[in-house]
Amino acid sequence: MPELPEVETIRRGLVQKLGNQPLVVAVMFCSAHQNIYQNISRLQLKEILLGKKLHHISRVSKTLLFELGAKLTLTVHLGMTGKLLLHEESSALP
């Protein structure tokens, strides 16, 4: 599990990589766990996120907060691996 300084490094790297321009969230990939979300399916979550713009990335403890406007925030915990993969639309997925 990543320590607090590592999570902050990841947050800063994402802010640097994404710049000041909003990012359109197109697709979200998540772990193999089936019961990751409460009261919402992966398909419903994808529909909610589709087309939203990323305005700001912040951190509370070891959780990253992706602020998508309209009082919508996606929270991401890096789990045991400490990895968050950023996929550019022009590149092929591994």
Side-chain angles (χ1 to χ4, degrees), residues 72-90:
L72 181 63
T73 302
L74 175 67
T75 61
V76 175
H77 190 279
L78 300 175
M80 294 300 288
T81 65
K83 292 182 181 179
L84 184 64
L85 303 176
L86 180 63
H87 170 69
E88 295 183 28
E89 189 177 358
S90 60

Side-chain angles (χ1 to χ4, degrees), residues 36-54:
I36 259 181
Y37 315 107
Q38 257 187 345
N39 303 321
I40 190 168
S41 70
R42 290 180 187 202
L43 181 58
Q44 289 171 320
L45 184 60
K46 181 180 172 183
E47 289 173 359
I48 291 169
L49 295 177
L50 190 64
K52 297 294 188 279
K53 292 187 177 188
L54 177 62

